[in-house]
Amino acid sequence: MADQTPSPEQLTQVDYRPKGKSWLDPHVEFRKGTYCYSAAPKNLTYLGLPNPRQWQPFDQDWKLPPDWKDIILAGMKERLDRYRSFRLFMDICVRCGACADKCHFYLGSGDPKNMPVLRAELIRSVYRRYFTLAGRLLGSTVGARDLTEDVLKEWFYYFYQCTECRRCSVFCPYGIDTAEITMIGRELLTLVGCNINWVIEPAANCFRTGNHLGIQPHGFKDSIDFAVDELEEITGVRVEAPINRKGAEVLFVMPSADYFGTPHYYTLLGYLALFHEIGLDYTLSAFASEGGNFGLFTSHEMIKRLNAKIYAEAKRLGVKWIIGGECGHMWRVMHQYMDTMNGPADFLEVPVSPITHTRFDHAASTRMVHICEFTADLIRHGRLKLDVSRNDHWNVTFHDSCNPARAMGLIEEPRYIIRNTCRTFHEMPENTIREQTFCCGSGSGLGTDENLEMRLRGGFPRANAVRYVRDKHGVNVLACICAIDKATLPPLLEYWSPGVDVAGVHEFVGNALLMKGERDRTTDLRGEPFASAKEDRAHA
């Protein structure tokens, strides 16, 4: 990283002064470290998406279809007619600038076109030119622009410098959802084959094997079996993790990173310990082995196609309801799209905890409960035996992952779990958490190595808040409930705030959980000694 990436001192030298050229000028420079590579043709072909070919954003010739302009404009018209919100967002913005300094990419780059208002203006200017009378008659006088190849390239550059985090929407007095505009922009680009591989390949893998990583069913089983073995080594307790078992009460769906990535894996160990200890009648699925949904970063149709597998598998296995793991975009899809795209899930039952008998009426539509809601309810009813001293080696702060926090209001439950499993917890500054939380800077498919400089710039506001509590309170771990966060925050913190690890909330649950029949444990789920064990060794 040090050889290719500017130093932190260099990246913090951000010039917020206007660049001296009109925003109507669409020219952009695809500089190394600030863009993502294009989608591989094989992945576009697998998904049935248009114009698969070899190209890269830095090429002069993007090998667009001859009628690319007509395709884009027809696609824009179709979406203006289909999505009332899209037309509304095109018409009602008054350029007040309330969102301007709320975007982490603008704060980290100083590029005016990363202001949400101006990023939206890139597509709004084309809307004006072709779909409003004033734009057709007066052109650039009213901020209208012709759709040219340079404009298309500008769209690609800036719509893939938006993580769809929706922080700007919190501050918009008109409620404009800039993430929806970014989604439409990406949909239009996809119509002519201009998309990025870090989004399209996971989507293609999900269709082929059921998960983003392309892990086949036997590989999924091997991963789960390995986790069961390792949990037994740590705790002395042999748990069961059934796969594809028909007739279970609950289907548990997690992001694939939980069984194949670090630190996600320790969260998986926490799930397995928890479900065993409460005797939950559940099953995993090798087909619905992915909770995440990269359709959210591609198109509305792709959201629907990817989400369908979860409900198809719930029906096939004959479960009563669904629990979803620690994932980010899975929960915006579930909370805001599922019922109109794939629902209603009337073949399932309204979730009722078999342990506490709590009825989760808020999930009456989707029949799916977040693992943090489920676990917080167990703790509130005193159904778990917890030894909080087992997490004394952690000094915790919590990152509100954008989609669970802003999209579904899952704010207090993870904090409740942390406070009941850890003794030391400190909040980051109030304007950086909860509904106003800063993004990791690498969501919506932007977490690629070739895009590292922009990731570090976009993640700076979040990392700076972490650095604050690290320096003031000695925080040494950042907890979160999103698979993308767990993957992208470690390099971000290593760069901006060294000495702070990343963990899932259910890792703390697994550490603190007193399991029936467990051996005298001396290590956490990572194999690291508990603080008490370290003290005993020091006194020996």
Side-chain angles (χ1 to χ4, degrees), residues 323-343:
I323 294 178
E326 293 185 11
C327 180
H329 42 290
M330 169 166 67
W331 288 102
R332 187 179 182 205
V333 170
M334 290 299 164
H335 190 66
Q336 297 187 338
Y337 294 106
M338 181 268 156
D339 197 40
T340 52
M341 288 183 172
N342 302 105

Side-chain angles (χ1 to χ4, degrees), residues 263-277:
H264 317 65
Y265 177 71
Y266 309 118
T267 306
L268 167 61
L269 297 181
Y271 300 150
L272 296 179
L274 173 68
F275 293 161
H276 172 84
E277 186 59 23

